[in-house]
Amino acid sequence: MIDTGLGPAIPGSLGASLAEAGVKPEDISTVLITHVHGDHIGGLITADGNSVFRNAEIKIANPDWIWLQKQPEMKQLSSAISHQVKVFDPGQDVAAGITSVPIAGHTPGHVGYMISSKGESLLDIGDTAHSSIISLVEPEWTMGYDNDAEGGKTSRRRMLDELSQSRQLVFAPHFPFPGVGWIERENGHFKWLPKR
């Protein structure tokens, strides 16, 4: 599984979605984290502060794990999952057919995940872009959640340039459902072409 959503602080829909798919939290063996903001890791713990995916290895880029442990408001979460965390360096393979892609700036160890199988691939870009309109038309505009505004701007522009040239199929979790499509260049900017 990649990322876990909001969790109990602001009830998300992960639990219900897993149940609908017939998957129990204890069935999950690996959780890959794009970055350690609450809307991507909040679902790692229960309302009473216990690990949700108790049988899973939780893989987090080393710079983000270090940074997370320094956040006082995340102490309960980091303590609850610490025995399950396995860190990696951005750019490393993290599972069969899945390679982490460094996209630092939004957080120190923000990564995407390139998922490859049978000659096809999909890149989860995490929070590289938050809006399918604004982030693409004005990629130099920074947003309040970027830990490093300049780094975020640089990595966003670089990633959008690469994606528009490569025609790589993308998953953008903050884009309208289902968030799968392509980035295209248009009049010096970019635009979103959702997969139909």
Side-chain angles (χ1 to χ4, degrees):
M1 182 168 63
I2 299 178
D3 289 341
T4 62
L6 293 162
I10 304 172
S13 58
L14 179 60
S17 295
L18 287 174
E20 188 174 320
V23 177
K24 297 175 184 172
E26 57 268 26
D27 296 336
I28 303 293
S29 61
T30 306
V31 179
L32 304 177
I33 300 298
T34 59
H35 65 292
V36 294
H37 281 161
D39 60 327
H40 291 258
I41 62 170
L44 286 171
I45 60 170
T46 62
D48 56 0
N50 294 311
S51 177
V52 171
F53 305 101
R54 59 182 182 269
N55 296 326
E57 191 171 66
I58 301 170
K59 296 189 178 183
I60 301 174
N62 193 44
D64 258 25
W65 177 239
I66 292 168
W67 187 63
L68 176 67
Q69 293 175 91
K70 294 177 182 175
Q71 310 302 314
E73 69 277 11
M74 292 295 203
K75 185 171 180 14
Q76 182 183 39
L77 187 147
S78 60
S79 295
I81 65 168
S82 62
H83 65 287
Q84 296 173 263
V85 171
K86 182 175 181 184
V87 297
F88 61 86
D89 292 324
Q92 286 186 319
D93 292 345
V94 293
I98 304 178
T99 302
S100 62
V101 177
I103 318 173
H106 187 58
T107 62
H110 179 246
V111 296
Y113 291 107
M114 181 67 80
I115 304 162
S116 304
S117 178
K118 298 180 181 176
E120 297 186 307
S121 62
L122 174 71
L123 175 63
D124 179 333
I125 63 169
D127 276 11
T128 302
H130 283 82
S131 166
S132 62
I133 300 169
I134 297 169
S135 299
L136 303 185
V137 174
E138 298 291 353
E140 275 72 35
W141 287 7
T142 58
M143 55 95 61
Y145 293 106
D146 283 344
N147 171 254
D148 172 0
E150 284 303 309
K153 179 169 64 172
T154 300
S155 64
R156 181 168 41 260
R157 171 56 86 165
R158 175 184 52 80
M159 182 60 64
L160 293 175
D161 277 333
E162 289 175 8
L163 293 171
S164 68
Q165 292 173 31
S166 68
R167 291 283 296 169
Q168 170 64 54
L169 186 64
V170 166
F171 170 62
H174 287 286
F175 285 14
F177 182 83
V180 176
W182 297 270
I183 303 293
E184 292 190 335
R185 188 180 296 276
E186 182 179 65
N187 300 324
H189 303 286
F190 302 95
K191 70 174 184 178
W192 178 240
L193 181 64
K195 185 173 183 179
R196 304 279 181 217

